[in-house]
Each structure stands twice: as C-alpha cells, then as structure tokens.
Amino acid sequence: DFDGTLVDSFDLINRCLCETVGHFKNIIIPLEKAKEYFKFGPTEEGILQKSLTSNHKEAYSYFLNLYNSYHNEYFPKTLDQELINIFSLIHENGCKVILLTGRGKETLSISLAKLDAFKYFDGFYTGSTLGEVKCELLNELMEEYGFSNDEIAYVGDSYRDTLSCKKAKVDCITVTYFNKECMKKPDDIKQSFTIANSISELKNIISKVVKKR
C-alpha cells in the first residue's frame, strides 16, 4: 500500500480535495471537515466526480496542480530509510516488491518521482474512479505474476485493506504507525491479521515472511 503505509499523506490529499471542491463550488471547506465530505475508496479523480456535478476533468487538473505544488510541504525528499532497508531485504531474499494502492496513477507518479522511489518497486497497480478494487487488483496481480494466494502478503494500513485481503485469501500485515483507525475495529477482526506498530516491527515481520518463502 502507499497512503498511510509508505507515507503519511492524508493531510495533503484532503487539503487538495478541500481546495479543489471549494474552488469549483465557490465555498470554503475547512480541512477538519474533509472526512465528512470525502470518502476514500475511489481514486482522487473518482472522489471529485462524486463531489462535483460537472467540470470533472478541469477539477482533476486543478487538483493535480495543487498536489504537485504542495507535495514538498508534506513529504521529505526520500522515503524513510527503514522502509528502503525493508525493500532491500525483500529483494535480497528473491522476492518482489509490488506497489498496490487505491489511489490514482497520476498522483502516485508525482509522489514516486519526487521521492525518487520508482526504483524500489517491481510493479504497480492503482485504483479505480468507481470505488474500492483492491481485492480485484490482488487477483489480477496473482494472475499476471503466476503467484498463488500463499505466495504473497499485503501490507496496508486500514480495516478495508484487511477485508480486501480476506476476500482475496491473501495474508495481510496491518501497520499503525501513521493510521490508528484500524485499531478501533472489533477484536475478532484485529485477531485475523498481523499488526506492526512501528516500521521496525514491520521489518521483523517481513524478515520472517520472506525467509519462509
């Protein structure tokens, strides 16, 4: 996953969504109200299509310009070195690192370019304007690479990620160092996936996973 897993990106995305919809509707949407206005699942373009009755393409271009211009205010110039070390660990053990996210390919490309991070990944899967498709993307990944369900593990940050993995019958590692929301879910759900509360914990978990494969 990307958002909430590799970077703490929700404030940036919400700011750009608030300013874009505010601009095209001629209203002011406070950043603290973003969760009431915008529901993640679709890509950013899909969120704008649901929020605006017209000017979708123009609004998305406006959004992308904001995202690009504000990016350096929210992110460092590179990914966290501990995450980079995890990518090296995975590759050294003969496994692949695939970036599979619900966000759009345009903003993902902007972020990966600015973070100089394209080089860490062996493949990319991005979301849909229509809604949540991670289960479908996981199945597409397995078909394209010839992996079985027990040969991959997904690292995400949300309750929705765990449900997608359950549906695809894929192991899920849930990280909480950026997003604590998943920890508010019922205990029976929390017990069904592995939790990493820090990047160091994530590294230890992944080390055990890749050495088993």
Side-chain angles (χ1 to χ4, degrees):
D1 191 26
F2 188 75
D3 300 302
T5 303
L6 299 184
V7 293
D8 189 6
S9 55
F10 294 108
D11 284 347
L12 169 59
I13 294 174
N14 284 332
R15 178 182 177 182
C16 295
L17 288 172
C18 285
E19 291 193 18
T20 299
V21 174
H23 174 79
F24 282 88
K25 284 191 171 182
N26 197 27
I27 59 175
I28 296 175
I29 303 177
L31 186 57
E32 60 269 21
K33 298 288 186 179
K35 286 186 178 181
E36 299 177 19
Y37 278 86
F38 312 116
K39 303 300 180 184
F40 288 94
T43 60
E44 305 92 325
E45 184 179 10
I47 293 172
L48 290 173
Q49 288 176 358
K50 289 186 175 183
S51 302
L52 299 168
T53 56
S54 60
N55 300 325
H56 301 144
K57 291 185 178 180
E58 184 182 354
Y60 190 46
S61 295
Y62 188 91
F63 172 89
L64 291 175
N65 286 331
L66 291 178
Y67 186 88
N68 184 64
S69 63
Y70 293 152
H71 197 278
N72 292 344
E73 293 183 33
Y74 290 84
F75 298 154
K77 292 184 177 180
T78 62
L79 291 175
D80 189 292
Q81 184 59 48
E82 284 190 277
L83 290 171
I84 295 173
N85 292 342
I86 290 175
F87 301 148
S88 296
L89 170 68
I90 295 171
H91 284 131
E92 287 167 2
N93 281 272
C95 298
K96 294 184 180 296
V97 183
I98 309 296
L99 187 52
L100 189 152
T101 173
R103 70 148 63 201
K105 62 182 179 181
E106 293 85 4
T107 53
L108 180 64
S109 294
I110 291 171
S111 287
L112 291 179
K114 286 181 175 289
L115 294 166
D116 190 26
F118 277 104
K119 58 191 175 185
Y120 302 122
F121 303 99
D122 300 295
F124 305 90
Y125 292 82
T126 53
S128 166
T129 58
L130 300 178
E132 173 67 46
V133 290
K134 283 191 177 178
C135 177
E136 290 83 352
L137 292 177
L138 286 167
N139 285 321
E140 182 181 335
L141 183 155
M142 286 187 282
E143 182 176 352
E144 289 189 0
Y145 283 87
F147 294 149
S148 59
N149 302 69
D150 61 354
E151 290 180 308
I152 68 173
Y154 188 72
V155 182
D157 74 308
S158 72
Y159 172 62
R160 187 178 291 165
D161 288 340
T162 67
L163 295 181
S164 295
C165 288
K166 273 191 164 186
K167 190 175 179 181
K169 299 180 181 179
V170 167
D171 288 339
C172 184
I173 303 168
T174 298
V175 300
T176 65
Y177 40 78
F178 291 139
N179 177 17
K180 304 295 182 183
E181 290 298 315
C182 59
M183 300 308 294
K184 298 179 181 178
K185 300 303 175 183
D187 287 340
D188 61 327
I189 296 296
K190 289 191 286 186
Q191 291 171 2
S192 67
F193 54 89
T194 305
I195 297 172
N197 295 306
S198 67
I199 299 178
S200 295
E201 284 187 20
L202 176 62
K203 184 176 181 181
N204 290 334
I205 294 167
I206 288 182
S207 178
K208 294 177 183 177
V209 169
V210 297
K211 288 177 181 177
K212 283 182 181 179
R213 296 175 189 272

